[in-house]
Structure formats: C-alpha cells, structure tokens
Amino acid sequence: MTSKPSALEGRRVLYISYNGMLDPLGQSQVLPYLRELASQGVRFTLLSFERPNAFEADGAVRCRELRASLATENIEWHWLRYHQRPSLPATVFDVIAGTRYAARLVKRNRIELVHARAQIAATIALRLKQRFGIKFIFDVRGLMAEEYVDAGHWRKNSVPYRLTKTMESRALEAADGVVTLTERIWPVIREWKGIRGRPVVHEVIPCCTNLELFKFSPEDRARRREELNVSDRFVVVYSGSIDGWYLTEQMVDFFVSLARTRPEAYLLWLTPSRHERIRELMRSKGVSERDYAVIAASTQNVPSYLSAADAGLAFIKPCFSKLASSPTKYAEYLACGLPLIINAGIGDSDFLVTIENAGVLVTDFTDEEFARAAEIVDSLHGELGETRERARQIAERYFDVRQTGAERYTRLYERVFSS
C-alpha cells in the first residue's frame, strides 16, 4: 500500500478493544491493522482493558514504553483495568467505566468514528453513538454468546447469554459498518433482529497475520530441531489454547493414528498453559515422552518453532458459532510454509484444502478418516519444498495483514465515512 487515500487523512477514530495490548493476542490482532491505517493518516485513539500485570512494576514500564512507541506512529493509547470476577458484575463495571472514560476521549480528541472490536467494546461504542451521534463500526469478530455456549461455559438462554444477545442486537441496529470474519456467517447475521432489511456497510476481513514475522527460516528450523532432538523426525505442531472448542483429545487420537504409519512422528504443542493436562492425556493414549514436547512460546518465538515443523494441526469443534470463525493459527501455519491438517466446517476454511490444496481436510473424527488423512500427509511430506512454497503463496493471497487486512479496513472506513 503505497498511497494515502485522501478520504482518511486526518480522520479521528477511537478504537476500543477488550483485549489488552500487553496480551500477545491484542498486539498481534489489533496493532498491525492500526499501524497500517495510521500510516495512511488516520489519527487513532486506542482504548484497551489490561489485566493486573499492566499495573505492576514491570508491566507499567512496558505500558509506558509501548505508549511512547505508538505515539510516534500516530496512535494515542489509553488503558483501563480489566476486571474478571465475578464475571457478570465485573463486565458491567468495565462497561460503565469504559463508557465514561471513552466519552472524555471523544470530546477531547474530537472523535468522528468509534471502531469496536467484539461485543463488549460494542456496548461501549453504542452508548457513545447514542450520546454524540458519531459513526460506529461493529467488528463482530465472532458470535460471543454462541461461542460461550458451544464451549460449555454458558447455558443457552441463561442471563449472560440473553444480555449478550440483547446488546448485540442493539449494536447491530445502530452500526454504520459491520465486519465479519467469514462469508458464511454474514447471510445469518443479516437476518438477525436489528439489522434485517436496513442498509449497512459490510466487509469480510479474515484473521490475518504479519508475514514479515511469520515466515519459514531454515536457520530457525535447524536450531529448534536440534534443541528438540528431532533432527530426522516428522514434526506435527499445534499452536494455541487447548480444550473448550479446541478438540485436544481428537488431535491426540489423530497423532496416534499417524504414528502407526510414521513411527518417527513427533507432536509439538505450543500452548501457554495447562501443560500437565496435555502430559496426562498423552500418557493415557500411550504416547511416549520421547514423541512430543509441550512449550510455552512467546509470540516472537512461535515462527521459529513453526519453521521446525512439517505440518500444522488444528481440530476445532464444528458447531454453529464456528461458522463465524477465522482461526489465526491457520494463517500462521501457512505463512511458515506448513500444510494444514484441519477439520471441516470452520468458517470459510474448507476452501483452503478443497480449492487451494493446502493440506488435509478431516470430515469425521474416526480411525478410518484419520488413517486416510495420514496417507495424504505422508504424500505432502514427500513434496516438502513444493508444499512449503504453495502454503506461503496461499498465506500471501488471503492472510497478509497489509494487503488483505489493511486494504479491506481502508475500504470499510472510506465507505462508512462517506455514508
């Protein structure tokens, strides 16, 4: 992106994220887009909710350093404390505190548009639109209420579920622009109360990744494989959280099936916590400690571990809420040249295998299906150089934070400002 669209030069936007910027998820999924748009002249005010470590000595220093860095990029950052428990009262408190603080920012910085990332932030943005009459973009990201039900955290029609759906409906009714992560979910949301039958600017923007950070490195591959002592082994990697809608047990079952035909198979878990849960599960499935590792890797180190792998694994519960999902790990795997081992029914992702031939699509969690998938994985590994190049090209076409992500956000902003 080499030019600065005049329609965005000097525009004043308040971006609200319930993710903290000291959280790797916040930094990887929020800041790249803001930086790209700020480079085109958008003047951002960023409001995030940070966990307690941001208010302790080391965290406070990191916040000040990040704030100073962002200020040089035309992004003014403010943060409030995130309250976690008790869940519902804590969230209500955060919404009230966030609305009051954000209102001061709107007045002081002469904000023209509020961009809300997901449902909690949209609750704050809705009140700002009602009070100040500014433009409002609802970046849906996913179906929050349905995700909590599908993950087993809420019951359908419970108080948190009903409150979330009510707020969501009101936000959709007021939004000038809506972002979804997938094409598949938009016809569903388009018929929901609050948005049905009215004109609204819409963009599909999948979860993208920084292709300068996530890329294959031969040097990192050699170094990490030596550290793991897997010099000639076939390494399958899973990166991310476990359980909930991530099918941890089914992923282990697939690995066990793969190891029957590839005894040299090795499973690398890159996950921040619950390592003992993984070890217990691997023991229960008869997997030796020699055949896997569990590592809590920082965001900066994940690409080097992905470079050490030969395929990227991710099984996700194929439920209604996941029609709206665009897993970032898919983009990261592909960017590092890894073929995918994924299951069907997650957002728009089936096409990555059925059309783009980016790996293996598992349609059922059975021994027969796992055996079929293992054969395909074996054939892909036999064409490692070609497979790695094809995976990277797919990432560049669909998941580049600059080309796909920032360009679509630019188009969205221009359309909302002109509406």
mmCIF file of all heavy atoms in Angstrom, residues 56-90:
data_model
loop_
_atom_site.group_PDB
_atom_site.id
_atom_site.type_symbol
_atom_site.label_atom_id
_atom_site.label_comp_id
_atom_site.label_asym_id
_atom_site.label_seq_id
_atom_site.Cartn_x
_atom_site.Cartn_y
_atom_site.Cartn_z
ATOM 1 N N GLU A 56 1.395 -3.461 37.558
ATOM 2 C CA GLU A 56 2.514 -3.787 38.431
ATOM 3 C C GLU A 56 3.788 -3.167 37.855
ATOM 4 O O GLU A 56 3.775 -2.631 36.742
ATOM 5 C CB GLU A 56 2.642 -5.311 38.564
ATOM 6 C CG GLU A 56 1.398 -5.946 39.183
ATOM 7 C CD GLU A 56 1.354 -7.453 39.036
ATOM 8 O OE1 GLU A 56 2.293 -8.001 38.378
ATOM 9 O OE2 GLU A 56 0.405 -8.081 39.531
ATOM 10 N N ALA A 57 4.883 -3.267 38.590
ATOM 11 C CA ALA A 57 6.097 -2.520 38.230
ATOM 12 C C ALA A 57 6.565 -2.795 36.811
ATOM 13 O O ALA A 57 6.678 -1.871 35.989
ATOM 14 C CB ALA A 57 7.208 -2.853 39.239
ATOM 15 N N ASP A 58 6.831 -4.052 36.478
ATOM 16 C CA ASP A 58 7.352 -4.375 35.152
ATOM 17 C C ASP A 58 6.328 -4.076 34.066
ATOM 18 O O ASP A 58 6.670 -3.552 32.999
ATOM 19 C CB ASP A 58 7.754 -5.850 35.080
ATOM 20 C CG ASP A 58 8.969 -6.160 35.922
ATOM 21 O OD1 ASP A 58 9.682 -5.206 36.311
ATOM 22 O OD2 ASP A 58 9.211 -7.353 36.210
ATOM 23 N N GLY A 59 5.077 -4.425 34.344
ATOM 24 C CA GLY A 59 4.028 -4.171 33.365
ATOM 25 C C GLY A 59 3.819 -2.698 33.099
ATOM 26 O O GLY A 59 3.601 -2.284 31.949
ATOM 27 N N ALA A 60 3.892 -1.891 34.157
ATOM 28 C CA ALA A 60 3.725 -0.452 33.994
ATOM 29 C C ALA A 60 4.827 0.128 33.115
ATOM 30 O O ALA A 60 4.580 1.019 32.287
ATOM 31 C CB ALA A 60 3.707 0.228 35.360
ATOM 32 N N VAL A 61 6.044 -0.380 33.277
ATOM 33 C CA VAL A 61 7.153 0.074 32.432
ATOM 34 C C VAL A 61 6.894 -0.300 30.977
ATOM 35 O O VAL A 61 7.091 0.512 30.057
ATOM 36 C CB VAL A 61 8.484 -0.536 32.920
ATOM 37 C CG1 VAL A 61 9.602 -0.254 31.916
ATOM 38 C CG2 VAL A 61 8.849 0.013 34.295
ATOM 39 N N ARG A 62 6.442 -1.535 30.746
ATOM 40 C CA ARG A 62 6.148 -1.967 29.381
ATOM 41 C C ARG A 62 5.039 -1.135 28.764
ATOM 42 O O ARG A 62 5.095 -0.797 27.567
ATOM 43 C CB ARG A 62 5.760 -3.443 29.382
ATOM 44 C CG ARG A 62 6.907 -4.391 29.697
ATOM 45 C CD ARG A 62 6.410 -5.793 29.935
ATOM 46 N NE ARG A 62 5.696 -6.309 28.772
ATOM 47 C CZ ARG A 62 4.828 -7.316 28.832
ATOM 48 N NH1 ARG A 62 4.547 -7.887 29.989
ATOM 49 N NH2 ARG A 62 4.230 -7.736 27.733
ATOM 50 N N CYS A 63 4.034 -0.784 29.557
ATOM 51 C CA CYS A 63 2.944 0.057 29.050
ATOM 52 C C CYS A 63 3.459 1.423 28.627
ATOM 53 O O CYS A 63 3.095 1.935 27.562
ATOM 54 C CB CYS A 63 1.847 0.216 30.115
ATOM 55 S SG CYS A 63 0.763 -1.219 30.296
ATOM 56 N N ARG A 64 4.297 2.021 29.465
ATOM 57 C CA ARG A 64 4.835 3.343 29.129
ATOM 58 C C ARG A 64 5.691 3.276 27.861
ATOM 59 O O ARG A 64 5.638 4.170 27.011
ATOM 60 C CB ARG A 64 5.650 3.892 30.306
ATOM 61 C CG ARG A 64 4.803 4.316 31.495
ATOM 62 C CD ARG A 64 5.598 5.167 32.478
ATOM 63 N NE ARG A 64 6.697 4.416 33.085
ATOM 64 C CZ ARG A 64 6.593 3.713 34.208
ATOM 65 N NH1 ARG A 64 5.420 3.653 34.842
ATOM 66 N NH2 ARG A 64 7.628 3.089 34.718
ATOM 67 N N GLU A 65 6.478 2.215 27.737
ATOM 68 C CA GLU A 65 7.322 2.075 26.548
ATOM 69 C C GLU A 65 6.477 1.885 25.294
ATOM 70 O O GLU A 65 6.754 2.484 24.251
ATOM 71 C CB GLU A 65 8.277 0.891 26.737
ATOM 72 C CG GLU A 65 9.344 1.128 27.796
ATOM 73 C CD GLU A 65 10.180 -0.116 28.059
ATOM 74 O OE1 GLU A 65 9.765 -1.221 27.599
ATOM 75 O OE2 GLU A 65 11.233 -0.013 28.721
ATOM 76 N N LEU A 66 5.435 1.046 25.393
ATOM 77 C CA LEU A 66 4.569 0.823 24.238
ATOM 78 C C LEU A 66 3.796 2.081 23.890
ATOM 79 O O LEU A 66 3.643 2.417 22.714
ATOM 80 C CB LEU A 66 3.603 -0.335 24.512
ATOM 81 C CG LEU A 66 2.639 -0.693 23.373
ATOM 82 C CD1 LEU A 66 3.397 -1.048 22.100
ATOM 83 C CD2 LEU A 66 1.724 -1.845 23.790
ATOM 84 N N ARG A 67 3.333 2.800 24.903
ATOM 85 C CA ARG A 67 2.612 4.053 24.636
ATOM 86 C C ARG A 67 3.499 5.031 23.876
ATOM 87 O O ARG A 67 3.057 5.666 22.909
ATOM 88 C CB ARG A 67 2.145 4.684 25.943
ATOM 89 C CG ARG A 67 1.592 6.099 25.770
ATOM 90 C CD ARG A 67 1.232 6.736 27.095
ATOM 91 N NE ARG A 67 -0.134 6.418 27.463
ATOM 92 C CZ ARG A 67 -0.681 6.732 28.638
ATOM 93 N NH1 ARG A 67 0.050 7.331 29.566
ATOM 94 N NH2 ARG A 67 -1.944 6.442 28.880
ATOM 95 N N ALA A 68 4.749 5.175 24.307
ATOM 96 C CA ALA A 68 5.673 6.092 23.636
ATOM 97 C C ALA A 68 5.929 5.648 22.200
ATOM 98 O O ALA A 68 5.986 6.478 21.275
ATOM 99 C CB ALA A 68 6.983 6.176 24.417
ATOM 100 N N SER A 69 6.082 4.342 21.996
ATOM 101 C CA SER A 69 6.308 3.826 20.645
ATOM 102 C C SER A 69 5.102 4.081 19.745
ATOM 103 O O SER A 69 5.250 4.533 18.604
ATOM 104 C CB SER A 69 6.618 2.330 20.710
ATOM 105 O OG SER A 69 6.706 1.770 19.422
ATOM 106 N N LEU A 70 3.907 3.806 20.249
ATOM 107 C CA LEU A 70 2.698 4.008 19.451
ATOM 108 C C LEU A 70 2.480 5.484 19.131
ATOM 109 O O LEU A 70 1.979 5.826 18.058
ATOM 110 C CB LEU A 70 1.477 3.439 20.189
ATOM 111 C CG LEU A 70 1.428 1.918 20.316
ATOM 112 C CD1 LEU A 70 0.244 1.492 21.186
ATOM 113 C CD2 LEU A 70 1.337 1.262 18.946
ATOM 114 N N ALA A 71 2.857 6.349 20.049
ATOM 115 C CA ALA A 71 2.677 7.786 19.813
ATOM 116 C C ALA A 71 3.445 8.253 18.593
ATOM 117 O O ALA A 71 3.005 9.157 17.871
ATOM 118 C CB ALA A 71 3.104 8.577 21.045
ATOM 119 N N THR A 72 4.590 7.634 18.320
ATOM 120 C CA THR A 72 5.370 8.007 17.139
ATOM 121 C C THR A 72 4.711 7.521 15.852
ATOM 122 O O THR A 72 5.108 7.923 14.769
ATOM 123 C CB THR A 72 6.795 7.417 17.216
ATOM 124 O OG1 THR A 72 6.733 5.989 17.144
ATOM 125 C CG2 THR A 72 7.479 7.831 18.507
ATOM 126 N N GLU A 73 3.701 6.630 15.988
ATOM 127 C CA GLU A 73 3.017 6.063 14.826
ATOM 128 C C GLU A 73 1.597 6.609 14.681
ATOM 129 O O GLU A 73 0.766 6.019 14.008
ATOM 130 C CB GLU A 73 2.977 4.534 14.956
ATOM 131 C CG GLU A 73 4.350 3.894 15.032
ATOM 132 C CD GLU A 73 4.282 2.392 15.231
ATOM 133 O OE1 GLU A 73 4.117 1.671 14.223
ATOM 134 O OE2 GLU A 73 4.389 1.928 16.383
ATOM 135 N N ASN A 74 1.325 7.727 15.330
ATOM 136 C CA ASN A 74 0.019 8.381 15.211
ATOM 137 C C ASN A 74 -1.085 7.623 15.936
ATOM 138 O O ASN A 74 -2.261 7.691 15.551
ATOM 139 C CB ASN A 74 -0.373 8.574 13.741
ATOM 140 C CG ASN A 74 -1.006 9.927 13.481
ATOM 141 O OD1 ASN A 74 -0.886 10.844 14.293
ATOM 142 N ND2 ASN A 74 -1.694 10.055 12.368
ATOM 143 N N ILE A 75 -0.718 6.897 16.999
ATOM 144 C CA ILE A 75 -1.684 6.151 17.805
ATOM 145 C C ILE A 75 -1.526 6.567 19.265
ATOM 146 O O ILE A 75 -0.463 6.374 19.871
ATOM 147 C CB ILE A 75 -1.464 4.630 17.682
ATOM 148 C CG1 ILE A 75 -1.551 4.185 16.222
ATOM 149 C CG2 ILE A 75 -2.490 3.865 18.534
ATOM 150 C CD1 ILE A 75 -1.104 2.742 15.997
ATOM 151 N N GLU A 76 -2.577 7.137 19.818
ATOM 152 C CA GLU A 76 -2.581 7.572 21.214
ATOM 153 C C GLU A 76 -3.261 6.483 22.047
ATOM 154 O O GLU A 76 -4.446 6.205 21.877
ATOM 155 C CB GLU A 76 -3.345 8.892 21.346
ATOM 156 C CG GLU A 76 -3.463 9.418 22.773
ATOM 157 C CD GLU A 76 -4.332 10.663 22.851
ATOM 158 O OE1 GLU A 76 -4.061 11.623 22.093
ATOM 159 O OE2 GLU A 76 -5.299 10.668 23.636
ATOM 160 N N TRP A 77 -2.511 5.866 22.958
ATOM 161 C CA TRP A 77 -3.025 4.699 23.684
ATOM 162 C C TRP A 77 -3.407 5.049 25.121
ATOM 163 O O TRP A 77 -2.650 5.678 25.843
ATOM 164 C CB TRP A 77 -1.973 3.590 23.677
ATOM 165 C CG TRP A 77 -2.397 2.349 24.421
ATOM 166 C CD1 TRP A 77 -3.649 1.811 24.489
ATOM 167 C CD2 TRP A 77 -1.544 1.498 25.190
ATOM 168 N NE1 TRP A 77 -3.634 0.660 25.249
ATOM 169 C CE2 TRP A 77 -2.348 0.441 25.693
ATOM 170 C CE3 TRP A 77 -0.176 1.499 25.493
ATOM 171 C CZ2 TRP A 77 -1.823 -0.577 26.493
ATOM 172 C CZ3 TRP A 77 0.337 0.478 26.272
ATOM 173 C CH2 TRP A 77 -0.487 -0.532 26.767
ATOM 174 N N HIS A 78 -4.597 4.579 25.508
ATOM 175 C CA HIS A 78 -5.081 4.679 26.884
ATOM 176 C C HIS A 78 -5.524 3.288 27.330
ATOM 177 O O HIS A 78 -5.985 2.488 26.514
ATOM 178 C CB HIS A 78 -6.266 5.636 26.980
ATOM 179 C CG HIS A 78 -5.949 7.028 26.538
ATOM 180 N ND1 HIS A 78 -5.658 8.045 27.413
ATOM 181 C CD2 HIS A 78 -5.867 7.564 25.283
ATOM 182 C CE1 HIS A 78 -5.415 9.162 26.737
ATOM 183 N NE2 HIS A 78 -5.530 8.888 25.438
ATOM 184 N N TRP A 79 -5.409 3.002 28.611
ATOM 185 C CA TRP A 79 -5.842 1.700 29.095
ATOM 186 C C TRP A 79 -6.531 1.808 30.450
ATOM 187 O O TRP A 79 -6.268 2.715 31.246
ATOM 188 C CB TRP A 79 -4.667 0.716 29.173
ATOM 189 C CG TRP A 79 -3.532 1.112 30.077
ATOM 190 C CD1 TRP A 79 -3.365 0.794 31.389
ATOM 191 C CD2 TRP A 79 -2.389 1.900 29.711
ATOM 192 N NE1 TRP A 79 -2.204 1.331 31.879
ATOM 193 C CE2 TRP A 79 -1.580 2.003 30.867
ATOM 194 C CE3 TRP A 79 -1.965 2.517 28.528
ATOM 195 C CZ2 TRP A 79 -0.373 2.709 30.875
ATOM 196 C CZ3 TRP A 79 -0.772 3.220 28.532
ATOM 197 C CH2 TRP A 79 0.016 3.309 29.692
ATOM 198 N N LEU A 80 -7.449 0.883 30.670
ATOM 199 C CA LEU A 80 -8.167 0.742 31.930
ATOM 200 C C LEU A 80 -7.945 -0.674 32.452
ATOM 201 O O LEU A 80 -7.563 -1.573 31.705
ATOM 202 C CB LEU A 80 -9.666 0.993 31.735
ATOM 203 C CG LEU A 80 -10.072 2.402 31.282
ATOM 204 C CD1 LEU A 80 -11.564 2.438 30.973
ATOM 205 C CD2 LEU A 80 -9.728 3.428 32.358
ATOM 206 N N ARG A 81 -8.235 -0.865 33.723
ATOM 207 C CA ARG A 81 -8.063 -2.194 34.321
ATOM 208 C C ARG A 81 -9.203 -3.120 33.896
ATOM 209 O O ARG A 81 -10.377 -2.737 33.907
ATOM 210 C CB ARG A 81 -8.021 -2.094 35.844
ATOM 211 C CG ARG A 81 -7.783 -3.442 36.535
ATOM 212 C CD ARG A 81 -7.791 -3.282 38.054
ATOM 213 N NE ARG A 81 -6.655 -2.512 38.513
ATOM 214 C CZ ARG A 81 -5.469 -3.014 38.847
ATOM 215 N NH1 ARG A 81 -5.274 -4.328 38.732
ATOM 216 N NH2 ARG A 81 -4.492 -2.250 39.268
ATOM 217 N N TYR A 82 -8.835 -4.333 33.515
ATOM 218 C CA TYR A 82 -9.805 -5.383 33.187
ATOM 219 C C TYR A 82 -10.157 -6.137 34.466
ATOM 220 O O TYR A 82 -9.281 -6.591 35.192
ATOM 221 C CB TYR A 82 -9.201 -6.342 32.157
ATOM 222 C CG TYR A 82 -9.961 -7.633 31.955
ATOM 223 C CD1 TYR A 82 -11.098 -7.659 31.152
ATOM 224 C CD2 TYR A 82 -9.542 -8.816 32.561
ATOM 225 C CE1 TYR A 82 -11.791 -8.849 30.952
ATOM 226 C CE2 TYR A 82 -10.221 -10.007 32.364
ATOM 227 C CZ TYR A 82 -11.347 -10.019 31.564
ATOM 228 O OH TYR A 82 -12.034 -11.192 31.379
ATOM 229 N N HIS A 83 -11.459 -6.231 34.746
ATOM 230 C CA HIS A 83 -11.928 -6.946 35.931
ATOM 231 C C HIS A 83 -12.563 -8.262 35.496
ATOM 232 O O HIS A 83 -13.459 -8.266 34.654
ATOM 233 C CB HIS A 83 -12.918 -6.091 36.712
ATOM 234 C CG HIS A 83 -12.314 -4.824 37.246
ATOM 235 N ND1 HIS A 83 -12.265 -3.656 36.500
ATOM 236 C CD2 HIS A 83 -11.698 -4.562 38.426
ATOM 237 C CE1 HIS A 83 -11.662 -2.713 37.216
ATOM 238 N NE2 HIS A 83 -11.304 -3.240 38.375
ATOM 239 N N GLN A 84 -12.122 -9.356 36.092
ATOM 240 C CA GLN A 84 -12.524 -10.677 35.616
ATOM 241 C C GLN A 84 -13.604 -11.333 36.461
ATOM 242 O O GLN A 84 -14.499 -11.987 35.932
ATOM 243 C CB GLN A 84 -11.298 -11.599 35.570
ATOM 244 C CG GLN A 84 -11.557 -12.936 34.906
ATOM 245 C CD GLN A 84 -10.280 -13.722 34.691
ATOM 246 O OE1 GLN A 84 -9.207 -13.324 35.152
ATOM 247 N NE2 GLN A 84 -10.376 -14.838 33.993
ATOM 248 N N ARG A 85 -13.573 -11.147 37.769
ATOM 249 C CA ARG A 85 -14.504 -11.846 38.649
ATOM 250 C C ARG A 85 -15.111 -10.896 39.669
ATOM 251 O O ARG A 85 -14.427 -9.972 40.128
ATOM 252 C CB ARG A 85 -13.780 -12.990 39.388
ATOM 253 C CG ARG A 85 -13.315 -14.098 38.460
ATOM 254 C CD ARG A 85 -12.745 -15.262 39.262
ATOM 255 N NE ARG A 85 -12.376 -16.368 38.387
ATOM 256 C CZ ARG A 85 -11.202 -16.496 37.792
ATOM 257 N NH1 ARG A 85 -10.283 -15.552 37.951
ATOM 258 N NH2 ARG A 85 -10.940 -17.525 37.018
ATOM 259 N N PRO A 86 -16.381 -11.200 40.032
ATOM 260 C CA PRO A 86 -17.305 -12.166 39.426
ATOM 261 C C PRO A 86 -17.695 -11.715 38.021
ATOM 262 O O PRO A 86 -17.847 -10.524 37.768
ATOM 263 C CB PRO A 86 -18.510 -12.192 40.358
ATOM 264 C CG PRO A 86 -18.463 -10.870 41.054
ATOM 265 C CD PRO A 86 -17.016 -10.493 41.154
ATOM 266 N N SER A 87 -17.849 -12.658 37.123
ATOM 267 C CA SER A 87 -17.854 -12.390 35.687
ATOM 268 C C SER A 87 -18.827 -11.297 35.259
ATOM 269 O O SER A 87 -18.423 -10.286 34.673
ATOM 270 C CB SER A 87 -18.153 -13.687 34.933
ATOM 271 O OG SER A 87 -18.202 -13.444 33.541
ATOM 272 N N LEU A 88 -20.121 -11.489 35.499
ATOM 273 C CA LEU A 88 -21.112 -10.532 35.013
ATOM 274 C C LEU A 88 -20.971 -9.164 35.662
ATOM 275 O O LEU A 88 -20.904 -8.146 34.958
ATOM 276 C CB LEU A 88 -22.521 -11.096 35.198
ATOM 277 C CG LEU A 88 -23.666 -10.231 34.657
ATOM 278 C CD1 LEU A 88 -23.471 -9.932 33.171
ATOM 279 C CD2 LEU A 88 -25.003 -10.932 34.890
ATOM 280 N N PRO A 89 -20.920 -9.069 37.002
ATOM 281 C CA PRO A 89 -20.726 -7.735 37.612
ATOM 282 C C PRO A 89 -19.429 -7.066 37.169
ATOM 283 O O PRO A 89 -19.384 -5.841 36.976
ATOM 284 C CB PRO A 89 -20.713 -8.032 39.113
ATOM 285 C CG PRO A 89 -21.452 -9.316 39.259
ATOM 286 C CD PRO A 89 -21.115 -10.105 38.028
ATOM 287 N N ALA A 90 -18.366 -7.860 37.004
ATOM 288 C CA ALA A 90 -17.088 -7.284 36.583
ATOM 289 C C ALA A 90 -17.192 -6.687 35.193
ATOM 290 O O ALA A 90 -16.667 -5.586 34.925
ATOM 291 C CB ALA A 90 -16.001 -8.356 36.617
#
